Amino acid sequence: MTKEEKIKNFDANGIGQLNDGLFGLPFTLDECDTVLIPVPWEVTVSYGGGTANGPVAIIKASYQVDLYDPLVLNAWKKGIGMDVFPAEIKEKSSSLRESAENYINALAQGADENNSELKEISTRIKKECLWLNDYIKNKALHFLNKNKTVGLIGGDHSTPLGLMQALSEKYGKFTILQIDAHADLRNAFEGFEFSHASIMYNALKIKEVEKIVQVGIRDYCEEELNLINTSNGRIKTFFDRDIKYALFNGDSWDRICNRIIKELPQAIYLSFDIDGLDPKLCPNTGTPVAGGFETEQVLYLLEKIIKSGRTILAFDINEVCPGPDGDDWDANVAARLLFRISNLVNLSQNK
């Protein structure tokens, strides 16, 4: 059956079938304009765990998402699909996570990180993180070269570095728009170079990353603040406190969005840590922080970015965790955001 025949026979008002693709759509991956790379990885998480289960939880929740988008009509016809689930990544993550916890606990008890046992753990984890980065970079380039809109679904926030590297190779210069509670500018946090708390520090090492525009940041250390202040404008941070104070004093989210957009050049990569939202929407994420955004605030910003004529090259959504009792509240929120964001990114690329 051709894609056109599938569209004709598909009931977009019906219930998603579990044996179909993401969001219950009937398309093969080749037939989808948007391809998502699942990365079930959480080796260096430093508080709550479970984000490695995020991609599967989002798939399950996606069947409950209604397929009407108020801005992009009939967007479902373009197709959104998730690549094959990488069992090897999940297995490596589980194995390395135990070693990482032993390493972190030893440091907390005063052990020397240069002793032979801890050094071996650190070296092994770095090696596997480099392997993961290469895996994702090659996957991303494969789909980008097929003219797909590419998104990455974590896993923890360390996972999209390979996608950023792929974009630098494919497109050259771009700016990262980071929606997050945390600055993620730590240098080798807890001894791990590729920590989830170091993703933006590592992104700065990519020379094609012209700038990082951070929005919603509300949990950071003095070292990170110093890096922001001495970055000569390469890092522009819109702190959650400043945003809220502006709103309290009569400013509008629309005007604040205009100021954010003014900092963005033409080509953008969206990196979205789910903890950028108010934690009532993602209570099970690994490191929730009071404050943050409503979903429509984030979507409003993205809509204004697209209406400004800028292009979102690719995106990630990370740190989605199912609850300890198996509840899928966080994944339900993430799946609905994923549908809307995928459509908006596709629209920005004139697809």
Side-chain angles (χ1 to χ4, degrees):
M1 188 182 295
T2 66
K3 183 177 181 180
E4 289 72 24
E5 290 171 327
K6 291 177 181 178
I7 290 172
K8 183 177 179 180
N9 293 326
F10 182 72
D11 180 9
N13 299 303
I15 299 173
Q17 300 298 311
L18 298 182
N19 58 336
D20 285 330
L22 192 69
F23 299 108
L25 296 172
F27 310 124
T28 66
L29 206 61
D30 283 341
E31 292 170 334
C32 292
D33 277 23
T34 299
V35 174
L36 307 174
I37 302 171
V39 189
W41 181 271
E42 57 172 353
V43 173
T44 64
V45 293
S46 51
Y47 191 54
T51 191
N53 299 317
V56 167
I58 289 173
I59 291 171
K60 291 178 180 177
S62 76
Y63 299 116
Q64 302 300 318
V65 176
D66 283 320
L67 301 178
Y68 180 82
D69 189 311
L71 187 68
V72 190
L73 300 181
N74 294 316
W76 65 268
K77 294 181 181 179
K78 296 292 185 180
I80 305 170
M82 191 173 287
D83 192 25
V84 293
F85 188 83
E88 183 179 8
I89 290 178
K90 183 69 182 295
E91 291 168 4
K92 282 178 179 284
S93 176
S94 297
S95 173
L96 292 169
R97 177 64 196 145
E98 183 176 351
S99 296
E101 287 178 337
N102 291 336
Y103 181 94
I104 293 168
N105 290 336
L107 290 184
Q109 294 169 16
D112 182 356
E113 65 182 24
N114 291 313
N115 76 44
S116 58
E117 183 179 354
L118 294 186
K119 198 72 174 175
E120 189 277 330
I121 292 174
S122 177
T123 300
R124 178 157 49 92
I125 288 176
K126 179 177 180 178
K127 177 182 177 182
E128 295 296 355
C129 287
L130 288 168
W131 170 86
L132 179 74
N133 293 340
D134 285 341
Y135 170 92
I136 293 168
K137 179 182 177 181
N138 291 330
K139 272 281 184 182
L141 284 171
H142 169 75
F143 291 120
L144 290 169
N145 289 332
K146 296 179 73 173
N147 198 35
K148 302 293 186 183
T149 298
V150 175
L152 180 147
I153 307 300
D156 71 43
H157 206 170
S158 72
T159 54
L161 186 61
L163 176 52
M164 297 173 187
Q165 293 168 342
L167 292 176
S168 70
E169 186 172 312
K170 177 73 174 178
Y171 296 114
K173 294 181 179 180
F174 64 96
T175 282
I176 297 171
L177 172 61
Q178 177 192 0
I179 310 293
D180 207 324
H182 306 89
D184 289 346
L185 291 167
R186 302 268 192 163
N187 178 7
F189 186 57
E190 295 180 326
F192 300 122
E193 179 179 349
F194 297 103
S195 168
H196 69 114
S198 303
I199 178 63
M200 295 303 156
Y201 186 92
N202 289 324
L204 290 170
K205 298 175 185 177
I206 303 172
K207 69 179 188 303
E208 289 83 2
V209 173
E210 293 185 281
K211 191 176 187 179
I212 299 175
V213 177
Q214 304 178 308
V215 182
I217 308 302
R218 54 195 187 276
D219 200 26
Y220 52 94
C221 69
E222 186 173 355
E223 181 182 54
E224 290 175 299
L225 182 61
N226 290 338
L227 182 57
I228 292 167
N229 290 337
T230 59
S231 69
N232 295 318
R234 196 176 179 207
I235 308 170
K236 173 62 179 179
T237 305
F238 291 84
F239 294 100
D240 187 66
R241 179 180 184 274
D242 295 339
I243 291 171
K244 295 299 182 356
Y245 274 47
L247 293 172
F248 298 157
N249 281 283
D251 208 344
S252 71
W253 180 233
D254 183 72
R255 289 193 293 268
I256 293 169
C257 287
N258 289 338
R259 295 198 286 275
I260 295 169
I261 293 169
K262 190 176 180 180
E263 297 289 339
L264 297 170
Q266 177 63 30
I268 301 162
Y269 172 76
L270 172 64
S271 190
F272 187 8
D273 188 322
I274 202 74
D275 68 27
L277 299 176
D278 186 314
K280 71 187 178 191
L281 298 169
C282 52
N284 299 302
T285 190
T287 317
V289 184
F293 298 115
E294 299 292 335
T295 56
E296 286 299 337
Q297 285 181 289
V298 174
L299 293 169
Y300 185 84
L301 171 61
L302 297 181
E303 288 179 17
K304 283 185 71 75
I305 288 171
I306 291 162
K307 289 175 182 177
S308 76
R310 290 165 172 80
T311 302
I312 302 176
L313 301 175
F315 68 96
D316 66 67
I317 298 178
N318 282 284
E319 304 285 354
V320 177
C321 295
D325 299 321
D327 74 82
D328 56 4
W329 173 252
D330 297 52
N332 265 304
V333 172
R336 283 161 174 78
L337 272 170
L338 174 60
F339 183 68
R340 296 282 301 281
I341 289 172
S342 296
N343 297 339
L344 288 169
V345 172
N346 212 302
L347 180 65
S348 83
Q349 298 178 12
N350 297 313
K351 292 182 179 179

